[in-house]
Amino acid sequence: MPVPTIKTDIKYIKGVGPAKSALFKTLGIESVEDLLLYYPRMWLDRRLETEKLPPYVEKDYVFCGKVVRAFTHYTSSPLMIFEAVIENGASKAHAILFRHRNPRFDIMSKIKTDFQVGKELFIIGKQEPDFLENKIRVEEYYPVNYPQIKRHVNSLIPVYSSTEKLSQKFFRETVFNAISSHINLFEEILPKKLLIKRALPTRNEAIANIHFPKNLKFLIKARERLVYEEFLLMLCAWEFKKRQISSSDKNRRYEIKRHLLTPFKENLGFSFTNAQKKAINEIFSNILSPKPMSRLLQGDVGCGKTVVALSAALLAAENGFQTAFMAPTEILARQHFETFSKLLSHLPVKVALLTSSLSRKEKDLIQAETASGEIDILIGTHAIIEKEIVFKSLSLAIIDEQHKFGVRQRAALRQKGENTDMLIMTATPIPRTLALSLYGDLELSSIDEMPPGRKPVKTWLVSQEEAFSKLKEEILRGGQGYVVYPVIEETNGEIKSLKKEFEKFKMNFPLIKAGMIYGTMKTEEKNITMSKFLNSEIKVLFASSVIEVGIDVKNASTMIIQNAERFGMASLHQLRGRIGRSEKASNCFLVSENPSKEALERLNAVCRTNNGFELSEKDAYLRGSGELMGVKQHGELELSIANPVLDKNILFLAIQDRDELFATDPDLRSRENTILRNKVIEMYGSKWNLIDAG
C-alpha cells in the first residue's frame, strides 16, 4: 500500500479492493478525500433513549431481545418469508424478513443460523400496521456481541446516498476504516480567528463526527462547522467572480433616447406596476453605468417580468446594440418570440427566433443577419451559444429560467459580446437567503406585485371524480383546461401515466377535443398541438411538466394535477401559474391518493396560499434545498451538506465573515488567509472561470 494521503485511492482502504472501488467510483468517490467529504444525506437515531431531534435526524425503530421461536414461510412465488419471535422480558416483537430465492446458494441458511433460538439480537426496521402484534419488517439485524456494533446500533447512524450493490452497512464500515487511518491528514482551511470567533471544531474533528458522532451535540456542532465552511468557500468564490466581472469598463455608452421606449410604453395597453417601475429603474441604472451589469430579476408567476426585460432590450436597441435572449425550451423560446413580436409590431425592431429544429437554410439566414447586425433581438434555446452564432454588437444577454442552465452556458452567452450586460430572470420565487447563495455575484431585483385585474387561482385537494366533474363543467361553459401527469409512460400501478390516461379520456369522452404534449415529442407535433390549444380547437390539454413555464393561454382556467404528491410545492405553484392569466375565475385541482403525512402537509400549503416566496421557503424546509426548484440543476450551487434555508443563520454569519475578510485582506493573500484562498481557487477556479481571481 502507498504512503497514506488524502488522495490515496479508495481501493486501498481496508475491505474495499478493486471490485468495490469501481462501485464507489460510480458515485464520484475515487480517493479517501472523496469518501470522507461524501457526507451522509441524513442520520438515524438508533439509540434506545430518546431526545428532541433536529430535522436532519430521524428516529429508527430498534428492538433488542432473545429469539424464542423462528420459522420459514415458503410461497409459490420466488419470495420466501422468514419470521422470528423475539422477547426481552418487557415486550415481544415479530421480526419478518423477505428474501428472493437464489439458485446459486441457500439464502435462508445464514438467516436461520443468525436467528437460532436463544440468540440475542438487535433488529432494526419498520413497524408494520398491526393492532394485535408488534410486527417489524427487518432492514438490518446484529448479534449483541457483534464486534462493530456501535457503528450500526445504539448510536447516531449515518445514511449515505448509495447504489444497490453498496449496502449501508458496508459503506459505514468503509468510512469508519478510512477515518481510522486517514482523518489526521486533512489540512485546516479556515483561519484560526474564525474557528475561535464562531466556536467551531477543527476540520478533522468535524469530518470524524459528521460520520460517526459521539452524541447529538457533537453531530450538531460538526454539521454547523461543515455548513459554515461550505458557505464561506462559495461566498469567497462569488466575491472573486464579482470583482472579475467589474474589473473592466464597458467599451460603450448608452443614452435613454425614448424613440423606441416611449411608443412601446404608450402602446402596451396597461401601465407598469410600481414594482415593475422599480425593477426597470434598477436595470437601466446598471446598463447606463460603465461597469457590466449582473442582475437577477425574480418574481412570481404572472408578475410581468417579460415586459421589464423587453424594456431593457429596447434601451439596447435604441443605442444600436443587440440583445440575446436564451430560454431553456423551444416551447418557452417560441412563446417569448410571439410575445415580443406582438408587442413590437409597430416599432422598427427586428426580432428573430433560433432553435435547433430550424432548417439549415433558416439557421444560415439568422446567422448572417445576426452577424451583420440586422437582428436587434435574437431569441432562442441553447442554439444561441453555438460557435457559429456571432453577434455584430451584442450588449445585453438575458437568460430566462436560470436554474435550467449551468454556469458554463451562462458564461458562454456572456462571452458572445464584450463585457456584456447580463440580466437573469426566474419565475421561481426564491427566498432571499437562497438567492444570496445561488446568485452571489448578482444584484437582486424582485417584482413582488401583481398586475391589477388578476384573480388569484383557487387550489383544491379533491378526488379524481370531483376534479374531472369540475373540468367538464368548465368545458361546457366554453373554457379550456389542463390535465398534468408526473410520468409519461406507465411504470407501475401507483402512478397514473400521461399516455395511458389520455387514451382513456378520448375513449370515455369522444365529444371533448383533447390533445397531448410532453418534452420528447417532435417539435413540429408540439407546435401543432399548442397552436390548436391556443385557438381553442383543443379544449383539454393532457401534459407533462413541460408546460411548467412559458405557456400563456388566457382562456384556460382549470387545471388538474394527477399524483400531485410527486411534485414539489414550487413545481405545483409554477404549474397552476398556467391558469389565472385573465380576469376569469380559475381553479387548480390537486389529486393525490394516499399521500404521506409530509406530502399532505405540502399539498395543503399549496392550497392555502398563492405566495410563491412563502411556498418556496416551506418547500426548502420540508424537502431540502437540493431538491428545491430544480436547484440540483444549478451549475453554481453544488452544496454537499448546507441548506440555505434551513441553515440561513449560518449563511448570514458566513456572509458577515466574508465581508470582514475582504475588507482587511482584499486578495486573501495574508499568511492566515492563504490556505482558504487556495481552497477557493481549487474548488471553483476552473468551474467558474475565475481568471486571476483575487
Side-chain angles (χ1 to χ4, degrees), residues 43 47 51 54 56-57 156 199-226 641:
W43 292 262
R47 299 169 300 169
E51 63 180 308
Y56 44 84
V57 181
L156 293 161
L200 298 173
T202 66
R203 197 168 192 229
N204 291 346
E205 291 171 330
I207 292 171
N209 278 285
I210 205 69
H211 293 287
F212 293 99
K214 295 176 183 177
N215 56 42
L216 186 59
K217 288 181 180 178
F218 275 84
L219 172 60
I220 292 171
K221 207 65 186 171
R223 187 180 178 279
E224 180 184 316
R225 149 71 204 233
L226 296 172
I641 192 167

Side-chain angles (χ1 to χ4, degrees), residues 26-40:
T26 64
L27 300 172
I29 299 172
E30 299 193 4
S31 67
V32 172
E33 181 181 33
D34 295 335
L35 178 67
L36 295 187
L37 298 185
Y38 191 85
Y39 302 133

Side-chain angles (χ1 to χ4, degrees), residues 42 53-58 621 646:
M42 62 177 293
L53 300 173
Y56 44 84
V57 181
E58 289 185 7
Y621 181 81
L646 184 66

Side-chain angles (χ1 to χ4, degrees), residues 423-457:
L423 178 65
I424 289 168
M425 302 200 303
T426 178
T428 306
I430 305 172
R432 187 168 187 84
T433 52
L434 185 54
L436 283 168
S437 52
L438 271 177
Y439 306 106
D441 63 335
L442 304 177
E443 296 178 86
L444 182 65
S445 290
S446 293
I447 301 179
D448 53 6
E449 180 183 2
M450 299 298 284
R454 284 283 180 94
K455 291 185 178 179
V457 176

Side-chain angles (χ1 to χ4, degrees), residues 6-203:
I6 59 171
K7 300 297 183 183
T8 297
D9 194 300
I10 186 93
K11 69 183 178 183
Y12 293 112
I13 297 298
K14 181 182 175 182
V16 179
K20 292 289 188 184
S21 72
L23 295 174
F24 277 110
K25 285 173 183 176
T26 64
L27 300 172
I29 299 172
E30 299 193 4
S31 67
V32 172
E33 181 181 33
D34 295 335
L35 178 67
L36 295 187
L37 298 185
Y38 191 85
Y39 302 133
R41 62 179 175 84
M42 62 177 293
W43 292 262
L44 296 173
D45 183 1
R46 290 183 177 174
R47 299 169 300 169
L48 299 179
E49 72 273 12
T50 58
E51 63 180 308
K52 187 178 180 181
L53 300 173
Y56 44 84
V57 181
E58 289 185 7
K59 189 70 181 172
D60 221 358
Y61 186 81
V62 181
F63 188 90
C64 184
K66 283 186 178 180
V67 179
V68 297
R69 197 153 47 94
F71 41 89
T72 305
H73 301 283
Y74 291 95
T75 67
S76 56
S77 72
L79 190 68
M80 295 184 292
I81 305 168
F82 183 84
E83 186 173 351
V85 179
I86 301 175
E87 294 182 350
N88 61 15
S91 56
K92 179 170 68 174
H94 286 256
I96 304 168
L97 294 88
F98 296 88
R99 295 291 185 273
H100 286 276
R101 286 191 180 91
N102 191 317
R104 289 179 293 176
F105 57 90
D106 183 1
I107 199 167
M108 277 295 179
S109 61
K110 184 178 186 305
I111 294 175
K112 288 176 182 178
T113 301
D114 292 342
F115 280 81
Q116 280 183 352
V117 172
K119 280 201 171 182
E120 195 171 1
L121 301 170
F122 281 104
I123 59 170
I124 301 105
K126 297 285 185 290
Q127 287 183 289
E128 297 278 313
D130 193 310
F131 294 109
L132 301 176
E133 297 176 334
N134 181 22
K135 286 190 174 180
I136 314 299
R137 184 166 182 160
V138 178
E139 295 172 352
E140 295 179 40
Y141 64 88
Y142 301 91
V144 292
N145 59 354
Y146 184 69
Q148 294 85 31
I149 193 68
K150 281 290 287 182
R151 298 177 208 171
H152 308 286
V153 182
N154 209 18
S155 55
L156 293 161
I157 305 298
V159 179
Y160 301 93
S161 297
S162 186
T163 69
E164 190 177 338
K165 294 181 180 179
L166 281 174
S167 70
Q168 289 295 319
K169 179 181 176 182
F170 182 78
F171 212 123
R172 289 193 292 267
E173 294 282 1
T174 304
V175 172
F176 186 89
N177 290 334
I179 288 174
S180 301
S181 57
H182 289 76
I183 191 61
N184 293 324
L185 301 176
F186 279 88
E187 181 181 43
E188 180 57 70
I189 61 176
L190 295 183
K192 189 175 181 180
K193 64 182 180 183
L194 292 183
L195 292 177
I196 296 170
K197 179 182 180 182
R198 299 302 179 194
L200 298 173
T202 66
R203 197 168 192 229

Side-chain angles (χ1 to χ4, degrees), residues 17-18 35 166 172 182 240 254 272 288 386 416 489 668:
L35 178 67
L166 281 174
R172 289 193 292 267
H182 289 76
F240 284 139
Y254 294 83
F272 289 128
L288 293 168
E386 291 177 1
K416 291 287 183 180
E489 306 279 358
L668 299 187

Side-chain angles (χ1 to χ4, degrees), residues 334-399:
R334 189 170 294 276
Q335 188 84 48
H336 280 306
F337 173 69
E338 291 169 358
T339 301
F340 278 34
S341 298
K342 181 180 177 182
L343 292 174
L344 301 176
S345 59
H346 60 291
L347 295 174
V349 177
K350 184 161 186 175
V351 184
L353 175 67
L354 177 65
T355 66
S356 57
S357 66
L358 294 180
S359 68
R360 185 69 262 171
K361 185 178 179 181
E362 291 171 316
K363 285 182 181 177
D364 288 344
L365 177 60
I366 290 174
Q367 182 181 334
E369 291 181 338
T370 302
S372 68
E374 284 182 68
I375 292 173
D376 299 296
I377 303 172
L378 180 61
I379 299 172
T381 55
H382 300 73
I384 285 184
I385 58 177
E386 291 177 1
K387 287 182 180 179
E388 59 265 27
I389 302 302
V390 177
F391 291 82
K392 181 183 180 183
S393 56
L394 179 66
S395 70
L396 176 63
I398 303 173
I399 293 180

Side-chain angles (χ1 to χ4, degrees), residues 27-28 34 37-39 203 226-235 237-238 402-403 405-410 434-440 624-628 630-644 647 651 679-689:
L27 300 172
D34 295 335
L37 298 185
Y38 191 85
Y39 302 133
R203 197 168 192 229
L226 296 172
V227 166
Y228 173 89
E229 175 186 302
E230 202 162 40
F231 279 144
L232 186 65
L233 287 167
M234 184 178 63
L235 290 164
W238 279 134
Q402 156 64 7
H403 69 273
F405 294 104
V407 67
R408 287 180 177 84
Q409 293 162 325
R410 175 170 143 187
L434 185 54
L436 283 168
S437 52
L438 271 177
Y439 306 106
S625 66
E627 296 177 24
L628 175 67
V631 161
K632 280 183 177 174
Q633 298 174 41
H634 276 281
E636 293 88 343
L637 188 66
E638 295 178 0
L639 298 174
S640 301
I641 192 167
N643 178 323
D647 302 314
L651 174 60
K679 192 66 179 178
V680 171
I681 303 305
E682 177 192 326
M683 289 183 63
Y684 293 97
S686 60
K687 186 165 56 179
W688 288 6
N689 193 27

